[in-house]
Amino acid sequence: MVAIGPYHHGRTPALRQMESTKHVAAWHFINDSGRLVEEVYGAVCAVADEARSHYDEDKGRALGDDDFNPMMFYDGCFLLQFLLHWVDEAVDPLLKDAFSSNCTSISYDIALLENQLPWVVVQELMRFMPTPPDLVRFTREWKATMQP
């Protein structure tokens, strides 16, 4: 359903379908932040080398900046918009529909170890959010959905 990070990025047509939703999520993220896209994207680029160091050399380091940096930006915006949706914060109706209709699949995919986004990217993007998602609430609710 969705690839977060370099391990499955663009590997199948099914994964590529969610890329347009990531772009919509990024647009709403920027719009909600009230900041310029250059400022937010620049902040992600500033931590990209550190983020890249969290991946195996054959995945994260094999991608050039022109591929890696936008992937971190779009994936981070998508993830944070999904977290807002999960904790019932207001998200755009189009994103809400996309997230709601694919919630189980997206939730499963972002829980996969190979789909993890380095915390430095998430943390940097959260600085631009007027109201970041309640991560304690998200974790509590997420944990309740998991099987023992």
Side-chain angles (χ1 to χ4, degrees), residues 42-89:
V44 171
C45 291
V47 298
D49 285 340
E50 182 180 347
R52 188 188 304 267
S53 73
H54 293 281
Y55 292 106
D56 289 340
E57 285 187 31
D58 63 329
K59 292 296 181 184
R61 296 183 184 146
L63 295 172
D65 289 347
D66 290 343
D67 293 320
F68 187 81
N69 295 354
M71 179 180 55
M72 290 292 106
F73 172 73
Y74 287 117
D75 289 357
C77 291
F78 175 88
L79 180 63
L80 286 167
Q81 291 291 312
F82 182 75
L83 295 182
L84 285 176
H85 166 74
W86 184 277
V87 296
D88 294 324
E89 296 292 330

